[in-house]
């Protein structure tokens, strides 16, 4: 069964923090790279951060130094710690793995709203 369940979003003031979680079914998580994406109103979905099974990470320039991606392989869960949030971080956040992105499958996402 293919399942992605994102949670942890909410509304915060600029400068605040949120921690997103994504529980994935084992068939998705496995030894795959996992990533967080976001889509702001009127904009295309973009990649935010990624993490390999071995823990190597990469970040979009816009979030470097503020966001941290991590994973718990025992729990099939990937996290996104977001600090120093800005209004431009407002978006629906999704987790996924590249091969599933190519198939066009997405979870419901979690809304993050940052007020100024």
């Amino acid at each position: 069964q293919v399942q992605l369940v994102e949670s942890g979003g909410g509304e915060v003031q600029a400068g605040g923090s949120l921690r997103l979680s994504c529980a994935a079914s084992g068939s998705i998580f496995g030894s795959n790279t996992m990533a967080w994406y976001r889509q702001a109103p009127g904009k295309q979905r973009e990649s935010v951060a990624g993490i390999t099974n071995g823990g190597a990470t990469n970040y979009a320039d816009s979030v470097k130094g503020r966001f941290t991606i991590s994973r718990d392989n025992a729990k099939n869960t990937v996290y996104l710690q977001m600090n120093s949030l800005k209004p431009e971080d407002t978006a629906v956040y999704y987790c996924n793995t590249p091969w599933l992105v190519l198939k066009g499958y997405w979870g419901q996402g979690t809304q993050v709203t940052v007020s100024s």
Side-chain angles (χ1 to χ4, degrees):
Q1 183 180 1
V2 175
Q3 190 173 25
L4 291 163
V5 180
E6 300 93 343
S7 62
E11 183 168 354
V12 296
Q13 291 190 329
S17 299
L18 283 173
R19 188 192 193 209
L20 307 184
S21 299
C22 171
S25 57
S27 60
I28 297 174
F29 205 83
S31 60
N32 293 310
T33 291
M34 296 297 297
W36 283 96
Y37 303 80
R38 67 185 180 187
Q39 186 166 22
K43 295 187 177 181
Q44 288 191 333
R45 194 171 292 169
E46 62 176 355
S47 175
V48 174
I51 185 167
T52 68
N53 184 52
T57 59
N58 63 83
Y59 298 92
D61 288 343
S62 58
V63 306
K64 279 181 182 176
R66 301 188 297 122
F67 289 12
T68 302
I69 188 171
S70 61
R71 64 191 288 162
D72 186 332
N73 291 340
K75 295 182 179 180
N76 290 349
T77 301
V78 60
Y79 305 97
L80 186 67
Q81 177 67 44
M82 306 187 296
N83 299 328
S84 302
L85 282 161
K86 305 176 181 179
E88 51 263 44
D89 294 318
T90 295
V92 178
Y93 284 72
Y94 305 86
C95 71
N96 215 328
T97 188
W99 68 266
L100 204 52
V101 171
L102 292 176
K103 291 182 177 294
Y105 177 86
W106 294 89
Q108 86 287 350
T110 186
Q111 175 71 48
V112 171
T113 302
V114 185
S115 57
S116 57

